[in-house]
Amino acid sequence: MALSCNNTLFPKPFFTSCSSQTQGTHFSNLPQPTKQDPIFKIKGPSTLSGHITISGSKNASLPLLAATLCCSGTSLLHNLPNVSDIQAMASILSSLGAKVDAFDGKMRVNSDGVGKVEVDLEEMKKIRGGFFVIGPLVARFGEAVVALPGGCNIGKRPVDLHLRGLRALGAVVELRDGKVWARAANGRGLVGGKFRLDYPSVGATETLMMAASMADGTTMLSNVAKEPEVVDLARFLTDCGAWIEGAGSDNLIIRGKRQLYGSECVIKPDRIETGTFMLAAAITRSCILLSPVIPSRVSCLIDKLSQAGCKISRLDQQTFQVSAHPSHIGYDLKSFDIKTNPFPGFPTDLQPQTMALLTTCTGSSLVEESVFDNRMTHARELQKLGARIQVSGRNALVYGFDEGSSLQGSRVIARDLRGGVSLILAGLAAKGTTQIHDIAHIERGYENIDMKLQNLGADIQRLTLTPVPLIL
């Protein structure tokens, strides 16, 4: 059923739906090309077919790499994605004195040589996930100095839960000069304690789990995150000798061990990349195969796409077929509403890509972002491609192709990781040529996304622009 614009929910949009002004060639706010300005150039519309191999999870890999700092000896991680965030995290570990070797999608880390507890400021600016190291450093070495994190500008992501949790484990924590200074109050190490998170933050849950795994005594954490990546981290720490109970539930009980030992781990497939390619099949009205897939980790998206009319079949234990091809579904995709929530709710990291799809469905959809307060900037870029979207705060009313959205190629900017990849999806469905700038954001979290799409039949190229002199 089409949604009408509710004046209470959408009193005064901070930017309006697409008009003749936004569809014109107005590029004054685009970055001027530099010698090192790579872009994605997409010619659409595309029809995809074939098989896609899902890479290892970036969101699982980052805390797992940080957790190697807890361990004596060598840890070996398999199936890490080759993305810039992983490279940045490896650089942070190396800068602390860990020995890091990367080869064939694997990374071997030995942290016995760690001789520093302060992370380089420039390294921290590259990646928000670098903040994970504060828990292992304080737990194993008694102190840490870590700059406040960088990463995508998608709203407030404070680290107060991390810091309050560390205090509950016996740390003295201070903020000075844009850095967090933390040390064990007793001069020896952290101690077990109780802490309830005000919000089930994934980052805070993972940081405190690592810290508590080496604390003296038992720690009880409540209202924790239940995301699959939390479960993966708990499993790795357990394999290293930690005692953790309750991973995947609201509460964690952790009995600390003074020494953990390196172990081996295979990174699970990336559920966000899985969802992104499922949405790519839907937006291009195509049929593709994906593997490996863990269906329980994308069940919320499977339900929504099935509701829209997609046919999703499980071919074997790890392979899924996703089809929105007209010959398979017999009608066009219908609109649906989403509201982002912590797992097992609809993932915020799939909200931008889903918004792109909804502009090609029939009817109107309501998109509610309840996790981050600034995760709507991609809507402005989708408007440049012809989408009709009305945004107010954390809510967006998305009009389908029968209510004013008509995707046409244009020049747009990737303003963050997931918003950037939503522009790729829109470009695949749009008529004409789409150029996406600032693709470094996208390459933080997607391994060779251009080549993967090329293998499915998409006309997408990664190009490096050279400056063109302005002739007056």
Side-chain angles (χ1 to χ4, degrees), residues 70 132 134-140 162 165-166 168-170 189-195 204-221 224 233 237 241-245 252-260:
C70 295
F132 282 127
I134 192 170
L137 287 176
V138 178
R140 185 176 175 188
H162 306 60
L166 289 173
L169 298 181
L190 298 178
V191 295
K194 294 182 180 180
F195 183 69
T205 298
E206 292 170 331
T207 297
L208 298 177
M209 188 195 307
M210 289 185 278
S213 68
M214 298 190 72
D216 182 16
T218 299
T219 296
M220 300 180 66
L221 302 175
V224 298
L233 177 61
L237 289 170
W243 194 98
I244 301 172
E245 185 178 271
L252 287 171
I253 300 175
I254 305 164
R255 295 176 184 167
K257 302 287 184 68
R258 280 313 303 158
Q259 190 164 18
L260 302 180

Side-chain angles (χ1 to χ4, degrees), residues 158-166 195 197-199 201 204 208:
V159 295
D160 61 305
L161 291 177
H162 306 60
L163 307 188
R164 287 165 48 204
L166 289 173
F195 183 69
L197 282 73
D198 297 337
Y199 179 86
S201 159
L208 298 177

Side-chain angles (χ1 to χ4, degrees), residues 19 51 288 403 451:
S19 66
H51 172 266
I288 66 171
E403 298 195 4
M451 296 194 300

Side-chain angles (χ1 to χ4, degrees), residues 16-27 380-389 403-412 431:
T16 60
S17 57
C18 187
S19 66
S20 58
Q21 287 185 327
T22 60
Q23 292 198 45
T25 314
H26 297 281
F27 305 135
R380 187 187 302 272
E381 301 304 312
L382 289 171
Q383 286 181 330
K384 295 176 185 177
L385 294 171
R388 186 180 175 214
I389 303 170
E403 298 195 4
S405 287
S406 178
L407 298 182
Q408 307 286 332
S410 186
R411 294 169 65 186
V412 290
K431 296 178 181 178

